[in-house]
Amino acid sequence: MRRDTLRTVYRRLFDQHGPRYWWPGDAPFEVMVGAILTQNTAWINVERAIINLKESDALAPRAILDLSPARLAQILKPSGYFNIKAKRLRAYCDWYQAAGGMTRLRYWPTARLRAALLAINGIGPETADDILLYAFHRPVFVIDAYTRRIFMRLGLIAGDESYEDLRALFEDALAGCGRRRDVRLFNEYHALIVRHGNSICRIKPRCDLCSLAQRCKHIRKPA
DNA sequence: ACCCAGGGTCATA
DNA sequence: TATGACCATGGG
């Protein structure tokens, strides 16, 4: 994929939606929790679960580990898949705390950090990359379902590439402006993709971005 | 009454 | 390695 193509798409998205100021939520640990809870789930429901955690005074690894599995599941209920997610969140906290939290992990090189995240049960490539980019500020490009859909519709990818192939594709094409700027760009780019996939592209048959290419197909099939 | 959402794992073939 | 079942709530 050409660098200027990706930058053109970025500019279109940015002009259309403006800056996103991601990740929604503040502290790194809250980002991590959100990344796990948002798996195949609407963000609004994740927010409710995070509010529950805050109200239970449990938005911290130690506090989460102190909760019973049943109690944690109850707190996570609005985010769906609550039994699975309780287990995954607990597994994450186990690792996070054993590793010494941010004060230690911030010195880990990205490759090691990524491998460690992927080794946790319930943390797949997208969740790991969300955490790497938005909590650890590492220059990693997050690939999600929207990324595939939008760029497939633009005719820029086939759509059946592996996660790693796509990630390398985007990173290689976009990186190289310095670590700090790469992180900033990857952050905004993924946030814009989600924003776009979330509303406009789903509602309007042909949005401005999609008319970049002629192959704009609807997400919904005609009834 | 559908469809789907900012995925990931596990069991089969 | 490649599909399919499964997890589950809430909004449109």
Side-chain angles (χ1 to χ4, degrees):
Chain A
M1 178 123 45
R2 295 174 46 131
R3 182 188 191 81
D4 52 331
T5 306
L6 274 188
R7 298 204 80 108
T8 300
V9 173
Y10 176 80
R11 206 168 304 120
R12 291 258 183 163
L13 286 169
F14 190 90
D15 290 346
Q16 194 169 352
H17 303 293
R20 302 280 87 210
Y21 306 112
W22 261 31
W23 184 280
D26 13 72
F29 185 72
E30 184 175 337
V31 174
M32 298 165 190
V33 171
I36 292 168
L37 296 186
T38 199
Q39 291 172 353
N40 203 38
T41 299
W43 180 254
I44 179 67
N45 293 335
V46 176
E47 282 184 317
R48 296 189 173 109
I50 290 180
I51 287 172
N52 285 349
L53 279 170
K54 285 181 176 170
E55 287 180 346
S56 304
D57 221 11
L59 193 52
R62 180 74 247 178
I64 287 173
L65 290 172
D66 284 340
L67 295 168
S68 72
R71 174 68 182 131
L72 182 55
Q74 180 191 359
I75 289 172
L76 300 183
K77 185 162 187 173
S79 74
Y81 304 138
F82 46 81
N83 287 314
I84 296 259
K85 283 174 178 175
K87 195 168 67 178
R88 291 181 181 177
L89 189 52
R90 181 172 282 279
Y92 183 82
C93 290
D94 271 334
W95 169 81
Y96 187 71
Q97 184 161 273
M102 278 301 275
T103 51
R104 304 282 180 158
L105 290 170
R106 60 181 305 175
Y107 297 111
W108 288 31
T110 301
R112 181 183 176 198
L113 200 45
R114 189 167 200 271
L117 288 169
L118 290 175
I120 302 168
N121 186 291
I123 307 293
E126 187 187 336
T127 307
D129 290 343
D130 274 335
I131 292 172
L132 286 168
L133 178 61
Y134 293 103
F136 287 94
H137 308 291
R138 305 305 174 90
V140 166
F141 198 96
V142 179
I143 305 296
D144 67 342
Y146 289 140
T147 313
R148 282 181 194 280
R149 202 180 298 165
I150 291 172
F151 283 86
M152 185 169 57
R153 212 170 298 157
L154 290 172
L156 296 173
I157 63 173
D160 58 349
E161 295 90 345
S162 74
Y163 184 96
E164 293 304 323
D165 283 353
L166 283 181
R167 186 169 71 90
L169 186 69
F170 279 81
E171 287 180 4
D172 292 346
L174 287 172
C177 296
R179 205 195 96 113
R180 210 52 188 255
R181 287 179 191 280
D182 290 347
V183 170
R184 202 68 74 96
L185 177 62
F186 294 176
N187 176 321
E188 195 62 42
Y189 211 143
H190 176 64
L192 284 166
I193 286 170
V194 171
R195 172 69 180 87
H196 190 77
N198 231 313
S199 52
I200 311 291
C201 215
R202 190 142 39 112
I203 296 162
K204 287 168 69 177
R206 276 171 189 259
C207 59
D208 291 347
L209 177 72
C210 290
S211 24
L212 260 179
Q214 277 72 29
R215 304 193 194 173
C216 181
K217 291 173 187 156
H218 306 239
I219 292 178
R220 294 176 188 282
K221 302 165 194 71

